[in-house]
Amino acid sequence: GGSRVGDTAQGGGPDGVGANGLGSPCLPGGRAADCVKVKHVRQQSAVVCGWKPGVGGRSGQIGSLLLVVYGEGGLSFIGHVGTGFSTATLGLLEQLLAPLSRSTSPFAEPVEAGNWVEPVLVVEVEFTAWTREGRLRHPSYKGIRTDLDPAMVTRE
């Protein structure tokens, strides 16, 4: 009974743990009706280096933010976040990013297409894991960080 926890749940293994009531098992590969998966959530501060336009219901707005951290070689692309925004947050981000617009990518090598901005706005995201390529897996926007110097934002 109880819950089943993999011994590598925090490491490179599963992205969460299964938990259930005392009366039924939570087995790998299949879930009982009352078995709930609880994902490990990590936090990372990141610097916005650009954005991609939204589609569908978010057409004409920001679809996702392109994110970087600083590393040994300068800016390191860690992916993009497109969830966790309210309508008010999207409006605020558009106001903050508009004066930071730039015509060229902040990267020496091409990363992916985007509407580039000066890398000075710091945001906080939650995510489940790092991919092999050093990208955020399942990131979700959590807010703006005004207390951090962008040049001090590194992979946590």
Side-chain angles (χ1 to χ4, degrees):
S3 65
R4 180 177 168 82
V5 178
D7 54 25
T8 60
Q10 284 283 18
D15 60 357
V17 289
N20 61 314
L22 294 174
S24 63
C26 203
L27 303 171
R31 294 196 192 141
D34 61 348
C35 183
V36 176
K37 184 173 182 180
V38 180
K39 286 188 176 248
H40 293 301
V41 178
R42 303 173 186 189
Q43 296 217 312
Q44 172 70 50
S45 296
V47 182
V48 178
C49 69
W51 56 276
K52 288 184 167 185
V55 294
R58 292 226 312 247
S59 184
Q61 295 180 303
I62 292 173
S64 64
L65 300 175
L66 302 173
L67 305 174
V68 296
V69 293
Y70 281 86
E72 293 174 16
L75 293 177
S76 177
F77 184 69
I78 60 169
H80 51 92
V81 60
T83 62
F85 306 109
S86 67
T87 304
T89 298
L90 288 170
L92 175 62
L93 287 167
E94 288 173 14
Q95 288 176 1
L96 293 172
L97 295 175
L100 301 176
S101 182
R102 60 185 278 170
S103 59
T104 59
S105 165
F107 301 98
E109 299 173 8
V111 172
E112 59 179 82
N115 295 291
W116 303 113
V117 297
E118 293 297 329
V120 296
L121 181 67
V122 180
V123 297
E124 189 76 14
V125 295
E126 284 184 347
F127 67 107
T128 56
W130 289 101
T131 68
R132 280 193 201 99
E133 298 79 29
R135 306 287 192 260
L136 299 167
R137 178 169 283 134
H138 306 127
S140 178
Y141 174 86
K142 293 299 163 192
I144 296 171
R145 296 285 307 261
T146 57
D147 59 326
L148 296 177
D149 176 351
M152 303 308 291
V153 175
T154 59
R155 183 170 159 169
E156 296 169 15

